[in-house]
Amino acid sequence: MKALGMIETRGMVGAIEAVDVACKTADVQVLNRHFVKSGIVTVEIVGDVGAVKVAVEAAAEAVKRLGVYMGSHVIPRPTEEVYNMLEKKEVPVEEIVEEEIIVELPEENEVIVVDEVEAKPVVNRRDKTKK
């Protein structure tokens, strides 16, 4: 019977590191990944109970070294309802892409000031220093 292991990280880098270490440590497969608000990413792996336990422990240690560990858990023999809940759902690309971002490069000697909150250019002005 298969086990389900979950590793939760802050950011995608930690999630990729967790999956890499888990798959290199034991014979496990990645079931899914979930993006939660505030940059939290949860990855799910499946395999034999012993393999998943070892893989999750190794992945958790690797992510802790990165400083982005949130939590981990292993369910030895989850019911079929759990797998139905976690079933991978494909999201159309149109729903993922919300808006097009256009970036204009500044001309020579031009400075662009960016609003840090909204990440939009708010002031375009010429640099007063001449080269």
Side-chain angles (χ1 to χ4, degrees):
M1 189 133 246
K2 293 211 174 220
L4 171 67
M6 298 160 285
I7 305 133
E8 197 164 69
T9 67
R10 272 190 315 272
M12 192 65 177
V13 172
I16 292 170
E17 176 72 8
V19 168
D20 183 55
V21 169
C23 290
K24 288 178 179 176
T25 302
D27 184 23
V28 294
Q29 295 79 41
V30 178
L31 177 67
N32 207 344
R33 53 48 183 149
H34 301 279
F35 299 103
V36 187
K37 289 185 179 180
S38 302
I40 298 172
V41 182
T42 303
V43 293
E44 300 157 354
I45 59 172
V46 292
D48 293 332
V49 176
V52 170
K53 283 183 180 180
V54 168
V56 168
E57 287 173 9
E61 287 303 314
V63 174
K64 285 177 186 176
R65 284 192 298 273
L66 289 176
V68 294
Y69 176 79
M70 297 292 291
S72 60
H73 186 65
V74 175
I75 302 174
R77 290 177 302 282
T79 63
E80 190 64 32
E81 287 79 20
V82 172
Y83 282 116
N84 291 339
M85 183 180 84
L86 300 175
E87 191 174 280
K88 195 173 208 175
K89 295 177 179 76
E90 293 297 323
V91 179
V93 174
E94 294 80 25
E95 290 182 25
I96 296 172
V97 179
E98 293 179 6
E99 65 182 60
E100 183 178 338
I101 299 174
I102 299 172
V103 177
E104 294 181 21
L105 298 175
E107 294 178 15
E108 189 175 341
N109 297 327
E110 187 176 32
V111 176
I112 297 178
V113 179
V114 177
D115 181 350
E116 292 178 12
V117 176
E118 295 184 20
K120 293 182 185 174
V122 290
V123 176
N124 288 340
R125 64 177 184 262
R126 290 273 177 207
D127 189 352
K128 304 214 189 280
T129 61
K130 302 250 181 186
K131 290 185 179 183

